[in-house]
Amino acid sequence: MTQRTNVPNETFMQKAIRLWKSKPIFSTACVLVLMVILQTLALGFEFETFGEWFSFWGRNWINILRNNANVGIVALGMTFVIISGGIDLAVGSTLVAVGAVLMVFVNQYPTGLLTAAGITGVPAFAIGILACMLMGCALGGISGFLVSKQKLPAFIATLGMMKICRSVTQQLMQTQGVKVPPAFLSISNFKIGGQVILPIIYWLIIAVILHIVSKKTPFGRQVFAIGSNERTARLSGINVEKVKWLVYVLSGFLVSIAAIIQVARIGSMDYANAGSGYEMDAIAAVVVGGTSMSGGRGSILGTVLGMLIIAVMNNLLNLMGVPPFLREAFKGFIVVAAVLLQKKESDS
């Protein structure tokens, strides 16, 4: 379907409305600008100098980005899953499981897996990170196998994995004493310019890489093709089962990256609550960013903008004193509204 690029005698408002309807990135960016303006007003201007205000405003933004970098990374993987026509409800529980694997390997106590074998420091960190990544890929691969080969609905397959990963991890780790070495914490907490921004940098680097993958590689084009029309993609020679499986492996891998950052950030993991709500937050960011829940349309840039909208909204509601439970209601409203807008556009 071709889209008009130039319309004779089009007013500014008409052009803005046309771009809002036809360009998800444009509409998402407009909403983000509005949210940033509201947040800036909520922060206030009661400072003696502009420099003090700007410094406070900048620190607030660094906190927002750092606190949402993990979910942002998970949302990048969720983007590929949803574009392919699937969904991954297991990301939060997968984070707990792979985080537990990482901590077992880097455990500094004498009873630690590698410490007991005399392996400590950087070699232990490297082994633990590799094991964490492999575990993430394996758990994502299991979900992908159930969806692609066994033809289970993605909702059911990943819902089952969500329950299995968290409950098994809690059972196995309930008697384990784990101490993460202080040196490992520098992976996330090393300061640049006096600020802890490494999680933000990791998120942005991964986003750039995946943007290139989605736009410039055969794998990216195949994911879009499968989400748009799986039957047509199969007839065109695409190995649909393989691509779907790889999408979930990618999601699991990105969850493992988020787990590494989180463990290195706080030095521990709450097996009962860590990653709780990541599914909702990641899906919200993806949908708000313009990715269609029916598959075949979306972008990494849109997801990054959508994650920023969710993050700024949470910060704005916090500044306004809205209770935490009601903040989730606002998030749910935004997701429903975004899907309704997508449906309206597709029907028009």
Side-chain angles (χ1 to χ4, degrees), residues 152-222:
L152 283 181
F155 180 89
I156 299 300
T158 58
L159 179 64
M161 287 297 294
M162 177 180 73
K163 296 297 184 181
I164 292 170
C165 288
R166 190 175 294 274
S167 60
V168 170
T169 302
Q170 287 180 283
Q171 176 63 31
L172 294 177
M173 297 298 293
Q174 62 180 337
T175 59
Q176 292 288 328
V178 178
K179 180 181 180 182
V180 177
F184 186 81
L185 304 183
S186 62
I187 292 175
S188 290
N189 295 321
F190 181 80
K191 291 184 177 181
I192 299 177
Q195 298 290 335
V196 179
I197 60 173
L198 280 178
I200 305 171
I201 294 174
Y202 298 146
W203 176 24
L204 295 179
I205 290 174
I206 294 172
V208 170
I209 293 173
L210 292 181
H211 173 75
I212 295 172
V213 170
S214 67
K215 298 295 185 182
K216 303 295 184 181
T217 67
F219 172 73
R221 291 189 287 270
Q222 289 169 358

Side-chain angles (χ1 to χ4, degrees), residues 54-78:
F54 186 77
S55 178
F56 176 75
W57 188 85
R59 289 195 303 271
N60 184 69
W61 259 105
I62 289 175
N63 289 334
I64 291 174
L65 295 174
R66 183 176 59 237
N67 293 337
N68 289 274
N70 268 17
V71 184
I73 292 173
V74 173
L76 297 177
M78 188 71 76

Side-chain angles (χ1 to χ4, degrees), residues 79 113 204 229 236 288 306:
T79 305
L113 185 64
L204 295 179
N229 191 314
S236 67
V288 170

Side-chain angles (χ1 to χ4, degrees), residues 68 71 75 276-286 307 310 314 328 331:
N68 289 274
V71 184
S276 179
Y278 272 33
E279 303 85 5
M280 176 63 179
D281 289 344
I283 293 171
V286 173
M307 188 69 250
I310 300 298
N314 286 334
E328 296 300 313
K331 197 179 300 179

